[in-house]
Amino acid sequence: MSCLSLPLSLSKCLRTNPVGVQRNMSQSSLAGKVAIVTASTDGIGLAAAQALGKRGAHVVVSSRKQTNVDKAVALLQGQNIQVTGTTCNVGEGKEREKLVQMTLEKCGGIDILVSNAAVNPFFGNIMDSTEDVWDKILSVNVKSSFLMTKLVVPHMEKRGGGNVVFVSSVAGYQPMQALGPYSVSKTALLGLTRALAPDLAQSNIRVNCVAPGVIKTRFSSALWQNEDIMDEFKKQLSIKRIGEPEEIGGVIAFLCSDEASYITGETITVTGGINCRL
């Protein structure tokens, strides 16, 4: 519909009251919000914690190793970000419960969950993958994402709503050679996003997903450090470079802000222009 076809009264309203259709940037502030970010001591998880923290959220970071947690906490505190850190293996139920309980005790509630934890113990022909490989990948990459969500939802409801963001991958749309089981797990997160969104919308909880392309992180170093792989991969890109973690963190923070208040059940692809379709 063009502006010319709008009813005269509405057209006049839009001209005289632009605040009604354009949110003030200050409303994107996450001050007073508490955000759990899993696997958040480096890479995309750390970038997400930084982006949320710089917008005012108190971020809870975690990793399997205490030394990594300590480094991340010190880094974030040096950027004047409110942060709490703890060790957590999200593949273990008791560890997930500990993470949530510690957040409640130290921060008073939960508003945001960024489910970023993932593993990939297999590289090769998918037909050579074993049952143990599939169990490990699906347990951490998919099942723990759902079970973490299930743990935090009651606490989000107590605060009137919240946001869940899953971190998928471009591999969820276009399975990568030698990363078959991992790619399948990332496709599953696209479906989990769509499955949860309608039910949780009733509790004012939005559920969205981010699918990064190849990002310069330790996790994906086997890809971006291989010139032959990257030369071939860049042929698919409109922006001829690999992405930076901060470029994903900013999108995650946007999805948790008021400016994304009418977005749920969606996956934003941040890939440098790769055509992503299922």
Side-chain angles (χ1 to χ4, degrees), residues 1 12 14 36 84 117 124 130-131 161 164 166 175 180 199 204 209 213 218 220 224 229 232 237 240 258 276:
M1 178 183 290
K12 182 178 179 181
L14 294 179
I36 294 177
T84 300
T130 65
E131 184 174 1
V164 176
F166 299 122
D199 285 345
N204 196 34
C209 186
R218 179 179 53 81
S220 64
W224 58 263
I229 290 177
E232 190 64 30
L237 301 177
K240 304 295 184 180
D258 286 344
C276 296

Side-chain angles (χ1 to χ4, degrees), residues 125-200:
N125 189 308
I126 190 171
M127 293 305 295
D128 293 329
S129 58
T130 65
E131 184 174 1
D132 286 344
V133 164
W134 282 94
D135 286 346
K136 179 70 171 178
I137 289 176
L138 293 177
S139 176
V140 175
N141 299 8
V142 184
K143 187 171 74 172
S144 70
S145 293
F146 168 71
L147 293 175
M148 271 300 299
T149 303
K150 193 172 182 178
L151 281 175
V152 301
V153 160
H155 304 291
M156 290 181 178
E157 289 175 332
K158 290 177 182 178
R159 289 163 76 93
N163 283 281
V164 176
V165 179
F166 299 122
V167 179
S168 178
S169 167
V170 64
Y173 289 92
Q174 297 184 7
M176 292 185 178
Q177 188 177 4
L179 296 175
Y182 173 82
S183 299
V184 171
S185 75
K186 292 301 183 175
T187 304
L189 290 178
L190 310 181
L192 181 60
T193 301
R194 298 298 296 271
L196 286 172
D199 285 345
L200 294 186

Side-chain angles (χ1 to χ4, degrees), residues 9-20:
S9 58
L10 177 57
S11 208
K12 182 178 179 181
C13 176
L14 294 179
R15 289 195 303 270
T16 59
N17 186 26
V19 175

